[in-house]
Amino acid sequence: MSDVVEKTLTALPSLLSLDSQPGSGKLSSTSKLGNLIRGITELTSKHEEEKLIQRELSSIKEQVASPNTSMRQMKELMVRAIYCEMLGYEASFSYIHAIKLAQQGTVLEKRVGYLAVSLFLNESHELLLLLVNTVLKDLQSTNLIEVCMALTVVSQMFPKDMIPAILPLVEEKLTHPKEIIRRKAVLALYKFYLIAPNQVQHIHNKFRKALCDKDPGVMTASLHIYLQMIKENPEGYKDLTASFVTILKQVVGGKLPMDFNYHSVPAPWLQIQLLRILSLLGKDDQSTSEMMYEVLDESLRRAEMNHNITYAILYECVKSIYTIHPKAELLEKAAKCIGNFVLSPKINLKYLGLKALTYVVQQDANLALQHQLTIIECLDHSDLVIKRETLELLFRITNAQNVTVIVEKMLEFLRLSKDDYTTIDLVGKVAELAEKYAPDNEWFIETMNTVFSLGGDMMQPDIPNSFLRLLSEGFDSTEEDRQLRLFAVDSYVSLLQGEPGRLPQRFLQVISWVLGEYSHLREGLEPATTLRLLAKLLDMKHTSSETKSWVLLAMSKLCEGPDCVSLAQELSERHGGSLDTVLRQRVQELRHLSEDAELRASVLPRDAAQEPLEVDSSLSFLDGFVSEALSAGAAPYKPPHQRQEELAQAKALSLEPYGLSLPISMSSCSLADRQSPTLLSMSSGLSGNSTDLSHKGGSTTLKLDGVKRVWGKDGYLAQKEPVEESAQVEVPSPLCSPSRQGGADSTHSQTPTPTPTPEPEKEKQQLASSLFVGLGSQSSVCLMGKSEQTPQRFRRKAKGQGSSSGASEQISNSHYSTQSTVDNLLCNNLLDSTVTSDLAVSTPEQTPQLSQEVATTNGTCDAEQDLIEETDPGNSPSLIRANSTVTADPPAHKDPDRPKDSCLSSHLPAELAGLSHSEIIPLCSSQNLDLSACHVQKEDALLLVIFIENSSDSDIEQMLLQTESDELEVSCVTDSPVEAVRSLSVSVYQYSLMVKRPAAHVALAGTASYQLPSGESQVMQFSYRLPLTSFIRPLCVSTEEYGTLWLAFSQDTKQNLALLNDGQDPLTATLDVLKNKLQLHVVDIIGAEGIVACRLLQGQPCLMHCRVHAGSLAVWLRSPVPDLPDCLLYHCQRALQEH
Amino acid sequence: GMRFLLLFSRQGRLRLQKWFTPTPEREKKKIIRDMTTMVLARKPRSCNFLHWRDLKIVYKRYASLYFCLALEDQDNELLALEILHRYVELLDKYFGNVCELDIIFNFEKAYFILDEFLMGGEIQETSKQIVNRSIEASDMLQETMEEYMSKPAF
């Protein structure tokens, strides 16, 4: 068939003027449309065409307006109008006539009318409202053709708000005796489901009926809806798996009527739809997957490679097999199938083969190894599409060993690509790889330079942001930091000395910032030199004013010395009169700061980039101003969403009169769903909602609206993980099986770039070895660049860990993550029995393997045993007794960690002894001293207890502990800080902690300085970290108070959380877990919604609103404190995951 | 689901456009421009699949006419190619050895056939026989054909 078509079509161009050829007989040479079309083809210039069409349009316009024009003529006019629009000329005058034609014409005219409407008008066009009545009438027509047309048009462009008006009629058609009507009705409902899912929720059981329809066409149509619903909630449809499998079996087995065959393949569209549904159902679900293995195998077997359509089925099969719970036998067949695709000479199949490889390489990297030579060929393919797809594949297999080659290939492509979307995407990927796997500083900076140059000003803004953050926060080694910064400075100075005019603005901004912060690191680089380089940027024509601000700020940081003062003065003369106020201000600042070094040092301290800025995001300093304005009669501020809601409300009202004219009552839908698909359900559930209880009387209704809309809104922000998490989350994937090829390839490894050799084959081999190094069996488990086999070079410093971790030369230990669970258990046991004197007795044999070596270096318990009487006289007698038992129990001190806890916990001050405390963990130690700490959670406070043990036989003098933290306020509780720690004794310090700035984990850094008997002074550094949850307490408020508070808070965040399914009521079960783990107060549960409140120790509240939606828990947190909602959300997530 | 279907000539002239999701006028113009330049620049024997923003573009040339279909990310490209092919077959069946001129001069018929074949961006009827049967049963195209053949309307 297609051959015939192609041959005929090839003969076409010559037909234009001939009547005798096949096909042309149907052309009406005398028709006006025919004349128009012919007229246009004869024209030579765009200008002439324009003139002709304008003439045509005005003639059409005249005729449509004439009362004498018949519907039949109108139909012909509409066709011409459509043609003009297709050529790109607007014929808006004809829109209303198209609607009229659909309304009043006979069947054939009506059809043209509907077609014109669907081509002319958009879903939101106001004229469409005029069509609603026509559609309603046609849906009720006895003429099947009219019903069909109405259903077709409804699925194309029907105003969303009007769906309720016609929904009952469409629903009715699901039981129509004619299958074509049923099918169209199902598809129309599918369309409704896509644009307004809530409105068709009540007919889900009717969808089931459609699924069981005796006509396979209707059943096929219903699968579109099912695919969509299953995508959103696979759990809800597991019971249908068997049915889908049976249907697929029948289709594959050729049980459908021959009509459904396509090129003798049984119903391929249906097969593919079913395969897609099955893969969604079988994902991460072994038992469901097991139900479908057989039919998948059958599908693979039946789809012999002979036609495009069977390849399509095979491709879908392969994807399913790799998506569901794996079965070795099937995977093997699927892998072979992918192999056939990749090796196929047909380029389309090769492309899909690459895509399939990209898809499966996460599970089976060996597959990529098997096809490495093909992949390399594709990398140099003349078709950019193939090349691009290959890069996508390589991106997935990048690791620390092959990163340079792969990034080089990506950059090569970037230089060729002209497509913005591709550039943005690839630039992001290169930046990601560079940050993750950079082999050295030089490479990193140079790669990022290319990224900034090529990505220009369209790349994602987070790339420069995260680059600068990386540079400023630094890594684990200060020296490394310095090297990297130095390298960046050198690189940028030479760039500025070249042709900075060609660099994108974003890059110039990065350069300015880095030079401003770090150019002082380069010895011999005079500030004046840098200043002059920067000043040059100000004079360039293309420099944007934003960039100029960056440049000037950088200059302000640098201006030092007389040269600079004069330069600053010169600049201020030149730019002081600029029309741009920001620029003028910056220049002024520069001039002032250059003249006053002291002021500059305090305003722009060096190396302060990582100090957090205190931002008062509630703008409280404006309170006075606001209240003054309000009292002067100004209107109160309304947040944008509230204003929008009011606008929508106003609109809804204006539609009301029209609604009344409809045959079907619109009252049910007048309010529904202007803003969001979920509004309907929300507004019905609102009566019980906490937030409206708090507002009585008319004056508050406005605020209420805001809240209403907000609850209904469905879009949630993307998950915001705290920074420190990002470095840790990747888990190596364990799926690699040994391969024959892997070994051979990896032996070539470590040749980062292909060295040119005369033989192209060898070149390819070499490229292969450098690309695929690190994959497969030789290099153990490192699949997927994502897994962290090789340590990440630029591992971000954990947020809030403070400065201590950077100074690795000093004695600093911070073990906060290494305690074993055994430890934990034991600690709890001990807590219960602290007073009853059987401390630590139960432990000796549990960890014999650990004991020996540590016991020698760590004599802590000995120290205590001997000196119990002397330490802490304030402790209760029972504790002393407890310690005596320890003394009497020799094996105790052989156990390295646990007895330590036990021994130390006995030193807890008496008033804390009954409270639960965290595990006691070592902070740092030196020859003489061991520092450990734990925190104790009290109702109204959080106490940090630091134990200092002197294990030497000499006293330690002038003991001084100092702490600092960005996030915490630390105050010493101990009345008179201990100054000396006697030989073999333990001193205890107590600090009370408050949160200054919330973070998921807060930390403090400290130093302990002391003097040895010899007079020598020593310093130790330590840090201590604890989760924010330690500071969270329940906040008991009434529902009404909650509502008032909610409206007052500006910091918010939203997210979907997993809903626990183990209880009767998932919402209650989930909230209970949160309540118990995080000490939240559940204020109220109303239907599918719950409200929860908590506060930080010092009283700042955080509110959480939860709603069950589509199988997950949609939460929305608000607080007056920045970051608090995010942090709490993080812990909620953790708590639910761990549950 | 499908996003849009465009038919255009080798000279880049639009012959048919179908938008399955609401698209602003201005965006349509940009897409049409992008599609024609992208597709026309392809060399013969290249891959029939392209990327455009987050969409997949599947195109195929039949004689002087390019058929160009945009898909969402999850859709099967090979299947889309067959959708185009099936549409050509349907046109062919209706016009009898279809050629570009048939589509130029009778574009509204091409739209009607398309509406019977695809609905709301999904395949409505894959059986050629059934499409024809439903067309004949309702006598829709038949009637226009007769009318058209006997007394040209325009």
Side-chain angles (χ1 to χ4, degrees), chain A residues 731-944:
Chain A
V731 184
S733 92
L735 265 167
C736 179
S737 61
S739 89
R740 291 129 269 133
Q741 303 209 352
D745 304 321
S746 314
T747 49
H748 292 269
S749 67
Q750 306 299 4
T751 45
T753 38
T755 40
T757 44
E759 308 138 88
E761 255 329 286
K762 200 173 169 194
E763 207 169 292
K764 277 184 188 165
Q765 288 282 359
Q766 209 136 25
L767 181 58
S769 63
S770 50
L771 277 177
F772 297 94
V773 59
L775 288 180
S777 57
Q778 270 268 306
S779 57
S780 67
V781 219
C782 185
L783 287 196
M784 284 306 299
K786 312 280 179 281
S787 71
E788 275 186 25
Q789 260 304 294
T790 40
Q792 206 169 307
R793 177 174 182 77
F794 297 139
R795 190 187 295 273
R796 284 254 161 77
K797 213 186 268 179
K799 199 176 176 182
Q801 213 174 306
S803 53
S804 66
S805 58
S808 56
E809 286 105 328
Q810 281 173 292
I811 329 157
S812 81
N813 280 340
S814 47
H815 312 256
Y816 38 71
S817 56
T818 49
Q819 288 74 43
S820 65
T821 40
V822 190
D823 235 352
N824 211 345
L825 276 175
L826 189 82
C827 178
N828 290 339
N829 283 343
L830 285 173
L831 268 177
D832 297 337
S833 55
T834 346
V835 201
T836 58
S837 84
D838 54 352
L839 265 183
V841 275
S842 57
T843 57
E845 59 277 79
Q846 276 178 18
T847 50
Q849 75 278 18
L850 286 174
S851 51
Q852 304 279 276
E853 50 186 309
V854 194
T856 49
T857 56
N858 193 342
T860 51
C861 273
D862 288 321
E864 283 171 58
Q865 287 154 25
D866 297 349
L867 288 162
I868 306 148
E869 253 76 30
E870 291 176 43
T871 44
D872 288 313
N875 276 358
S876 70
S878 61
L879 271 176
I880 295 174
R881 207 149 41 82
N883 279 327
S884 340
T885 359
V886 176
T887 330
D889 192 340
H893 66 263
K894 291 221 168 145
D895 208 354
D897 290 333
R898 283 171 285 154
K900 179 160 198 159
D901 193 322
S902 67
C903 301
L904 286 173
S905 63
S906 64
H907 290 281
L908 270 175
E911 68 272 21
L912 302 181
L915 297 164
S916 74
H917 67 82
S918 68
E919 302 150 49
I920 299 178
I921 58 170
L923 291 177
C924 59
S925 52
S926 69
Q927 265 189 327
N928 320 78
L929 287 184
D930 289 290
L931 264 67
S932 320
C934 69
H935 56 270
V936 180
Q937 211 157 312
K938 284 172 67 175
E939 173 81 33
D940 56 345
L942 190 92
L943 297 175
L944 173 71

Side-chain angles (χ1 to χ4, degrees), chain A residues 2 9 12 26 31 49 122 145 156 183-184 190-191 259 262-263 308 312 316 348 351 383 421, chain B residues 13 18 20 23 42 47-48 53 63 76 82 85-86 89 95 99-100 115 125 133 138 148 154:
Chain A
S2 65
L9 288 173
L12 260 182
K26 283 174 273 156
S31 78
E49 179 190 292
N122 232 329
I145 305 168
Q156 280 170 346
R183 196 163 55 222
K184 280 181 190 277
Y190 165 67
K191 195 71 193 189
D259 275 358
Y262 177 82
H263 294 262
N308 256 348
E316 210 63 46
N348 286 343
Y351 171 88
D383 191 341
Y421 195 83
Chain B
R13 253 186 206 287
K18 187 85 193 171
F20 297 108
T23 317
R42 302 283 293 164
C47 175
N48 289 85
R53 300 203 192 151
N76 188 317
E82 295 312 299
H85 190 71
R86 169 51 59 103
E89 285 180 357
F95 287 107
C99 63
E100 187 186 347
D115 283 344
E125 185 51 75
R133 214 184 300 147
S138 58
Y148 183 71
F154 331 124

Side-chain angles (χ1 to χ4, degrees), chain A residues 427-428 430-436 444 448 451-452 459-475 484 510 513 550 723 726 794 796:
Chain A
V427 152
V430 171
E432 187 187 328
L433 293 179
E435 199 173 298
K436 241 187 207 156
F444 179 65
M448 288 311 285
V451 163
F452 290 135
M459 72 182 151
Q460 305 283 0
D462 62 325
I463 298 177
N465 289 350
S466 100
F467 173 74
L468 291 185
R469 212 174 60 202
L470 191 80
L471 227 54
S472 68
E473 282 176 2
F475 326 112
L484 181 67
V510 167
W513 190 88
W550 284 72
V723 190
S726 64
F794 297 139
R796 284 254 161 77

Side-chain angles (χ1 to χ4, degrees), chain B residues 6-18:
Chain B
L6 302 177
L7 267 64
F8 47 85
S9 71
R10 232 171 9 184
Q11 291 76 35
R13 253 186 206 287
L14 190 64
R15 296 303 182 204
L16 185 141
Q17 53 176 330
K18 187 85 193 171

